[in-house]
Amino acid sequence: GFTEATAGLLREPDLETRRRAFVDSGGAQAFLGALGALPGANQRVFSLFCYPSAPLADWFDTLAGGPGETLVCVAGGSAAETLRARLGRALEPGERQRLGHVEFIRLPMLSQDDYDRLLWSCAFNAVRGEDSWIRAHWARTPFVWQAYPQADEAHHLKLEAFLAGRGRHGRSIVRNGFSDRLHTESLLGFALPWIVPGVAIALLAPAGAALAA
């Protein structure tokens, strides 16, 4: 669906209008505040939704070491379980805990509309599979995508085709140890722990998005 020759991507007719109204009105502050995820001074906000194969332990350590202060909004499931192992205890929904330069908050279950608002509110989003991947595109915010792992490795073919198309437009991408020129070193440092054998990911900025510093 990313080219004129392959049908299209699902999107509600008014989605971009709603996104712009949310962003222009400063909706992120009220939305994150309602979740207990209002960032502190100089604290950027990331969201995290992934499969069990994501190398989160290394990623958490990278963020904890800086540079910069980060608040990571963690969805339930695989990410919450890895976070529990790293912190030594489980976080309840709405609870926050700091680890060096990174602070984590466990999110409650979100509706699709609220998940869209979360993506719109964050400086960077880690997404998985196909549905959240497409929503991340419509959010116009830089993101890292973890493809759904398939036994026949068809997910690698999907990733190769997707990156080939994005590369023609000069977007920043990272895949299995190879990186095009990225706009910020901090973003590269954020993404590199994901670049391990067997984990198919893409890091890019959708059209109209500015890479987070």
Side-chain angles (χ1 to χ4, degrees):
F2 290 98
T3 74
E4 294 180 356
T6 56
L9 303 175
L10 293 177
R11 186 180 73 176
E12 306 90 308
D14 66 339
L15 181 64
E16 178 59 14
T17 299
R18 289 190 284 116
R19 186 195 69 83
R20 283 188 172 276
F22 180 87
V23 172
D24 293 345
S25 67
Q29 183 171 7
F31 176 75
L32 293 175
L35 292 176
L38 201 62
N42 301 317
Q43 196 175 41
R44 58 192 176 179
V45 184
F46 292 168
S47 73
L48 173 60
F49 184 45
C50 64
Y51 293 118
S53 57
L56 294 183
D58 289 342
W59 184 47
F60 291 164
D61 288 343
T62 297
L63 293 176
E69 298 292 326
T70 308
L71 174 64
V72 179
C73 299
V74 181
S78 305
E81 285 302 306
T82 302
L83 181 61
R84 179 194 59 78
R86 185 66 180 81
L87 298 178
R89 70 183 188 90
L91 295 183
E92 296 297 325
E95 187 178 5
R96 296 167 68 147
Q97 183 165 329
R98 174 170 289 278
L99 181 67
H101 290 280
V102 63
E103 187 178 11
F104 300 97
I105 178 168
R106 169 73 186 279
L107 296 178
M109 183 72 70
L110 299 177
S111 66
Q112 180 61 66
D113 285 344
D114 278 346
Y115 184 65
D116 282 334
R117 295 184 185 101
L118 176 67
L119 296 177
W120 300 342
S121 299
C122 292
F124 204 89
N125 297 299
V127 298
R128 74 179 201 184
E130 297 184 356
D131 289 341
S132 61
W133 177 40
I134 297 304
R135 306 311 286 192
H137 276 277
W138 299 139
R140 295 181 177 271
T141 300
F143 64 89
V144 60
W145 169 51
Q146 184 184 15
Y148 178 74
Q150 296 173 271
D152 60 359
E153 297 192 348
H155 56 298
H156 286 285
L157 296 177
K158 294 177 182 177
L159 181 61
E160 292 287 357
F162 172 68
L163 293 185
R166 297 299 297 188
R168 287 197 298 271
H169 299 287
R171 298 297 169 192
S172 298
I173 56 175
V174 176
R175 191 258 187 213
N176 288 349
F178 172 79
S179 65
D180 282 351
R181 182 178 179 181
L182 294 177
H183 296 299
T184 63
E185 292 183 2
S186 59
L187 187 58
L188 182 58
F190 165 80
L192 279 178
W194 293 74
I195 316 303
V196 296
V199 178
I201 70 99
L203 169 68
L204 63 141
L211 289 173

